[in-house]
Amino acid sequence: AEAECEAKKNTDGCAWDKKTSKCDEGVTLCGKETEACACGQMQGCLWNGKTGRCAASLYANCPAVDLVVAVDGSLSMGERFGRHPHGFFAVTEMLLDMSKRLPLTGEAAGVASDPVLAAGFRVGVVQFSAQGE
């Protein structure tokens, strides 16, 4: 399984997780590269000389993006959600899956980005519901 996963590394963005002994698909492998040459050898990756970071070519020229997602936290979200048995978990699992594919900045909440060097996504999730729910 590990060899099969590693074989798909450059094409499908897969990486073998030694802790869980599972193949993590959709991992942003470009962000793990720290040298321009290594970045250039990765399929679908481009080196950003301004930021000194490797990014997925899909996002290489995008400006910094702050993405805030509001998630319904009302009692109804504990109900069945399509084929998923719990609506809130379904939405948060989808957000987690999405965030694995985004070039995240790694900055903590409340940290101001340098507008010149900023690149990548910062994601915030806010849960809301009516008072008392």
Side-chain angles (χ1 to χ4, degrees):
E2 182 177 356
E4 186 178 315
C5 178
E6 289 296 320
K8 299 190 306 183
K9 182 176 183 174
N10 289 336
T11 57
D12 295 340
C14 297
W16 185 255
D17 188 330
K18 292 182 193 268
K19 289 181 184 175
T20 63
S21 295
K22 291 184 179 177
C23 190
D24 290 335
E25 296 181 26
V27 177
T28 307
L29 297 172
C30 301
K32 294 180 181 179
E33 294 298 341
T34 57
E35 296 180 10
C37 289
C39 176
Q41 293 173 353
M42 291 286 294
Q43 183 176 344
C45 298
L46 289 174
W47 183 257
N48 184 330
K50 184 171 77 170
T51 62
R53 291 172 52 181
C54 187
S57 57
L58 182 64
Y59 304 107
N61 294 317
C62 294
V65 175
D66 286 339
L67 176 64
V68 179
V69 180
V71 178
D72 182 0
S74 66
L75 293 174
S76 65
M77 288 297 285
E79 303 288 325
R80 193 161 185 77
F81 200 79
R83 291 183 287 176
H84 202 285
H86 194 280
F88 186 80
F89 294 151
V91 171
T92 54
E93 285 173 12
M94 183 273 312
L95 289 171
L96 176 62
D97 188 51
M98 176 194 73
S99 68
K100 287 180 180 179
R101 291 171 169 74
L102 294 176
L104 301 175
T105 64
E107 294 173 329
V111 175
S113 290
D114 181 337
V116 175
L117 297 177
F121 285 73
R122 296 190 302 181
V123 178
V125 179
V126 179
Q127 179 182 345
F128 72 95
S129 65
Q131 191 169 4
E133 277 197 58

